[in-house]
Amino acid sequence: MPARLEDDDDWSDSDDEVVSGVETDVLLGVPDGSVDNENDLRDVAVSRIGGHPSYLPSTEPSFPSSYCNNCSNPMELLVQIWCPFEDSPMDRALYIWGCARASCQRQSGSVRAWRALKYNTAYATKVEKIKACKEAQKKAINPPKPAPTSNPFSMQSPLSPTPFGLGDQIFGQTFSNSFDLPPPTDDEQSDAESETSGSEESLITAMASVTIQGSAWAAAPSYPPIYLSTVAEYISPEPKLKIPPSAQMEEPSGDDKQGKDTSWGFEGYENTLKVDDVFDRFTKRVSHTAEQCLRYDLKGTPLSFASDKVFESLFSTPPQHPPPITKAVFKVLPEAKRSYSTSSIPRCPVCKSSRVFECQLMPNLINILRDTAKEKDVDIKKLTDEQRIKVVQEALERGKELDSRGMEWGTCMVFSCEKDCCLGDNGKEVKECWREEYVLVQWDE
C-alpha cells in the first residue's frame, strides 16, 4: 500500500515535501458515463453529476431550496452525493446547486448546498444485532485486534458507511463495544449475514421507489445526468531528469555570453510576473488526476484555488513579534507559518456546533457540465421557422443571449455541521430533516 501523505504544511497540502508516490485521505469524484437507467435516476444512493435530484423516502423538500439568492430563479443541480456518516443510523445525501446566469456570477448565494437526513430504523436495528454478534464472537475466540486497513469506498469493504457507498457496508465491520452475550452459533451468524444482504437489497428497492414525477422538481432546469464515481487520490512521484551519458553541455560563444550568466534572459519575465503560489500549488495537485470534478475529505483541509479573501480567512498568518532592536547583532526570524482554521465559518444555526470542511467542487466540473449542455441544446438549424422564432423569443424573455450562460468559479467549498444534527424547531431530535450548509466560493479571476 502506498505511503500516506504527511501534512506538515496545512495550507500547501505538503506538495513541496512529496518525493515519492503517496495515497492521500482525499476521495476524488470523477465522471463515469451517462445515467440512462431509470432506477438509478430515482435512487438516492447513486451519486451523480447533473440530472434531477432524487430524495430519501420522505416529504419532498421545498422547491425554493434550489432558488438562486440573487435572481430568485431555480438553479441546476451540480452534484448529488450519497454520503452517510460513519456509525450513524441516518441515511444522508448532499445536494449542491449552482446558477449559471451571467449576472449572478461572483455573487454570494449563486451556489447553495443542502443535506438530507432520514433515520433508518431497520438499518439501525440490524447494525446493533450484527455488532453484538461480531463482538461476542471476537470476545469468545480471539483477543482484541486492531481493525484492518482497507479502502472504505469499495463495495467489498468491511468498513462502516462512507461517502458514495451504501450504508449497509457497516455490517462487515469489527466493532470495539462489548456486549455480555454468548458467542453466536453458526446458524445465528448465517441468519445475521442473510439479514444483512436482505437489508441492502430492501434499502435499494425503497430508494428506487421514490419519485419526483408530477412535482416542480421534475420540471426544473437540469444538465444531463452523469455517474459520479470515486477514486482515491494518488500523487505520483516527481519524474527525475535523466541525461544520457553521451550528452555534452556546450558553453555559449563569447559574443553570446558577454561575460554574464545566460539565465539573465528569464529574469525580466520572472520579475514582471505576479506569481500566485497558492494557485500554482492548486494546479500542481490537481494535475495528478485532471478529470476530478469533486474532492471529498470530511473534516479535512480544503485545497485553495487562489490567494484571495477566502484563502486569507481559512489560512491566516499568525502575528509575528517584531525583531529586537536593542542589540547590535541582526537576528533572523523564521517566516510565520499559515495554519488552517474554520473559525471564520458560521456555526450551524440549529445546534450551534462548528462546521467542518466536507467537499469542494473542482473546475473540471464546469467543463463537464458545459459539454453535456451543448449536447442537450437544440440545433436551431433543424427547426422550422415557427420553432426557431419561439426559441429566440424565449431567449429574449430571459434577457440573455443563448451562449451567455456559464459558471466562473474556481472552486466551491462546502462546510457542514460537525455533529450532522437532525433537530426540530424545539431543539429535540427528529427522524428526518433538510438543512442548508455553508458554501465558500473562490472565483476564477
Side-chain angles (χ1 to χ4, degrees), residues 252-294:
S253 63
D255 292 337
D256 295 333
K257 216 172 151 183
Q258 295 181 349
K260 297 181 180 180
D261 187 346
T262 54
S263 63
W264 70 270
F266 298 97
E267 291 179 1
Y269 178 78
E270 292 175 351
N271 290 339
T272 58
L273 178 64
K274 188 176 181 180
V275 178
D276 188 332
D277 290 336
V278 179
F279 179 72
D280 184 60
R281 292 173 185 272
F282 179 91
T283 55
K284 182 179 178 182
R285 185 70 174 264
V286 173
S287 66
H288 294 282
T289 310
E291 65 270 27
Q292 62 184 274
C293 294
L294 177 138

Side-chain angles (χ1 to χ4, degrees), residues 340-358:
Y340 170 66
S341 173
T342 58
S343 58
S344 62
I345 303 299
R347 290 178 171 269
C348 173
V350 181
C351 71
K352 310 306 178 184
S353 298
S354 299
R355 280 187 168 111
V356 295
F357 173 73
E358 183 168 359

Side-chain angles (χ1 to χ4, degrees), residues 36-239:
D36 298 322
N37 187 294
E38 288 297 326
N39 289 334
D40 287 347
L41 291 173
R42 294 193 299 266
D43 191 347
V44 70
V46 175
S47 299
R48 79 284 305 266
I49 296 171
H52 287 115
S54 57
Y55 294 113
L56 296 168
S58 60
T59 305
E60 282 184 5
S62 172
F63 186 59
S65 299
S66 66
Y67 285 6
C68 173
N69 285 339
N70 301 286
C71 65
S72 299
N73 286 309
M75 300 183 288
E76 289 90 350
L77 179 68
L78 303 182
V79 295
Q80 174 179 327
I81 311 166
W82 173 247
C83 47
F85 277 13
E86 183 175 352
D87 298 332
S88 172
M90 309 294 287
D91 290 335
R92 183 176 187 272
L94 187 68
Y95 307 81
I96 306 175
W97 279 274
C99 185
R101 292 173 178 82
S103 60
C104 297
Q105 301 310 297
R106 305 180 184 278
Q107 302 296 323
S108 176
S110 60
V111 180
R112 301 177 67 182
W114 295 76
R115 61 182 169 94
L117 296 174
K118 182 174 176 62
Y119 186 80
N120 190 325
T121 305
Y123 173 72
T125 301
K126 295 182 188 301
V127 166
E128 291 302 320
K129 184 172 182 179
I130 299 300
K131 184 189 297 184
C133 288
K134 292 287 186 179
E135 183 59 32
Q137 186 179 44
K138 182 180 70 172
K139 187 176 180 181
I141 300 175
N142 300 315
K145 294 181 179 180
T149 302
S150 60
N151 178 6
F153 297 94
S154 169
M155 290 303 292
Q156 290 76 33
S157 169
L159 296 183
S160 51
T162 44
F164 319 111
L166 287 174
D168 290 67
Q169 293 176 18
I170 194 172
F171 296 135
Q173 183 178 2
T174 301
F175 291 87
S176 58
N177 296 341
S178 177
F179 295 83
D180 294 325
L181 297 175
T185 64
D186 292 340
D187 290 340
E188 289 174 333
Q189 186 68 23
S190 177
D191 291 342
E193 293 175 354
S194 177
E195 289 183 1
T196 300
S197 176
S199 174
E200 180 171 324
E201 183 178 355
S202 62
L203 176 65
I204 297 175
T205 302
M207 290 177 177
S209 65
V210 181
T211 179
I212 59 173
Q213 295 300 321
S215 72
W217 292 106
S222 66
Y223 298 105
I226 299 173
Y227 287 108
L228 182 65
S229 296
T230 56
V231 296
E233 182 185 43
Y234 181 81
I235 299 180
S236 55
E238 293 287 345

Side-chain angles (χ1 to χ4, degrees), residues 1-63:
M1 181 177 180
R4 285 288 182 184
L5 178 65
E6 298 294 336
D7 285 332
D8 295 329
D9 188 351
D10 285 343
W11 80 270
S12 69
D13 271 345
S14 304
D15 273 353
D16 286 347
E17 288 76 31
V18 174
V19 294
S20 61
V22 294
E23 182 181 309
T24 75
D25 292 327
V26 179
L27 277 172
L28 305 178
V30 296
D32 195 18
S34 300
V35 183
D36 298 322
N37 187 294
E38 288 297 326
N39 289 334
D40 287 347
L41 291 173
R42 294 193 299 266
D43 191 347
V44 70
V46 175
S47 299
R48 79 284 305 266
I49 296 171
H52 287 115
S54 57
Y55 294 113
L56 296 168
S58 60
T59 305
E60 282 184 5
S62 172
F63 186 59

Side-chain angles (χ1 to χ4, degrees), residues 349-352 422-430 432-435:
V350 181
C351 71
K352 310 306 178 184
C422 191
L423 305 177
D425 296 335
N426 57 1
K428 295 183 179 180
E429 291 189 3
V430 293
E432 61 183 58
C433 64
W434 176 253
R435 296 283 182 262

